[in-house]
Amino acid sequence: MGKIIALANQKGGVGKTTTTINLAASLATIEKKVLVVDADPQANASSGLGVDIKQANYTIYECIIDGTDVKNAIHDTGIESLKIISSHINLVGAEIEMLNLPGRETILKKVLEPLKSEYDYILIDCSPSLGLITVNALTAADSVIIPVQAEYFALEGISKLLNTIKIIKSKLNPKLEIEGFLLTMYDSRLRQANQIYDEVKKHFQELVFQTVIQRNVKLSEAPSYGVPTILYDAESVGTKNYMALAKELIQRQ
């Protein structure tokens, strides 16, 4: 049975999509069957894995709103054992459309349920908000990875996310666990980055991944070519960091 992991943080620009794409690619490279679910209307995970959103007939939007068979929305990527369900700008309005649907918080859970036995990992890239789609992602997930940028305001807003997780755990998904906090955009030369790492570690202790994702230009270049960093530059620091994260995640299971 596969594990569903949501990547969430309502703060934008913390490396959620970069982590989703590259962790998924790393897991697939070590022979895990992986599905990415792009639940962000910006659809960056879709384009970052080479999906032409304009050409996609079915996306996560149709699965949630129209009840389209989820298998019709699955796209191939440049790595054989890595698939993706793409997003669409229409997802922006989906939250309003979902308000009147029965069991609106559990729609995504029902969509993904038939796929759990087919994949080792299903990674959901959440949008930078705590809206209904993110609530759906957290309700569908077994655990959540929280990327935290190594900068001064890193811990700002995390208490809001933790509160949301607590509410979802008590009302909608008692199984939901925090998989871990992941420090991203880390520059070991900066004293501030080290202070933030220490602070996050002090707050969340063993919940913090030992792997940190260092600042790396290859990580920001690869998406413009529609490939994960491992296919863009297999020797880059970014590729090595995410491979280490994939191995650490597998060891935690």
Side-chain angles (χ1 to χ4, degrees), residues 59-246:
T59 67
I60 194 65
Y61 172 81
E62 283 80 18
C63 299
I64 290 172
I65 301 299
D66 304 331
T68 296
D69 183 348
V70 67
K71 293 190 178 176
N72 293 335
I74 296 172
H75 299 267
D76 292 332
T77 71
I79 298 173
E80 197 180 333
S81 59
L82 173 58
K83 311 288 183 195
I84 180 166
I85 297 175
S86 66
S87 183
H88 194 279
I89 190 67
N90 286 352
L91 212 55
V92 169
E95 305 214 335
I96 296 160
E97 294 177 69
M98 288 164 79
L99 287 175
N100 299 320
L101 295 177
R104 61 190 182 197
E105 295 92 354
T106 57
I107 297 170
L108 187 59
K109 183 184 172 84
K110 291 185 183 111
V111 166
L112 297 180
E113 203 62 51
L115 300 175
K116 271 192 99 167
S117 58
E118 293 183 30
Y119 293 92
D120 297 306
Y121 291 95
I122 297 175
L123 303 185
I124 309 174
D125 186 26
C126 298
S127 66
S129 79
L130 292 176
L132 192 50
I133 301 279
T134 300
V135 167
N136 262 265
L138 293 171
T139 304
D142 298 301
S143 65
V144 53
I145 290 175
I146 303 169
V148 179
Q149 192 177 352
E151 58 151 50
Y152 184 63
F153 294 113
L155 294 175
E156 212 178 66
I158 281 189
S159 58
K160 222 182 235 169
L161 175 63
L162 293 178
N163 199 36
T164 301
I165 290 169
K166 201 166 138 191
I167 292 165
I168 286 168
K169 205 174 152 108
S170 68
K171 297 209 164 36
L172 295 163
N173 182 7
K175 290 195 331 276
L176 184 64
E177 297 295 339
I178 292 173
E179 190 72 49
F181 292 83
L182 174 69
L183 222 68
T184 61
M185 303 176 206
Y186 181 80
D187 186 341
S188 57
R189 295 166 304 179
L190 300 177
R191 197 169 80 216
Q192 188 192 37
N194 293 306
Q195 284 170 342
I196 285 151
Y197 181 77
D198 292 342
E199 202 179 326
V200 173
K201 197 83 179 142
K202 191 175 79 189
H203 272 77
F204 304 112
Q205 295 161 359
E206 73 285 347
L207 282 176
V208 182
F209 283 104
Q210 281 184 316
T211 306
V212 296
I213 309 301
Q214 291 161 274
R215 274 197 184 279
N216 179 237
V217 70
K218 303 290 185 192
L219 287 173
S220 45
E221 286 174 0
S224 61
Y225 294 91
V227 292
T229 312
I230 200 164
L231 295 184
Y232 178 65
D233 184 347
E235 294 303 310
S236 71
V237 171
T239 297
K240 288 173 180 165
N241 287 169
Y242 279 110
M243 194 53 93
L245 177 65

Side-chain angles (χ1 to χ4, degrees), residues 22-40:
N22 291 295
L23 173 57
S26 299
L27 287 165
T29 305
I30 40 187
E31 297 183 339
K32 299 292 178 189
K33 285 192 77 182
V34 187
L35 175 69
V36 168
V37 179
D38 190 349
D40 183 350

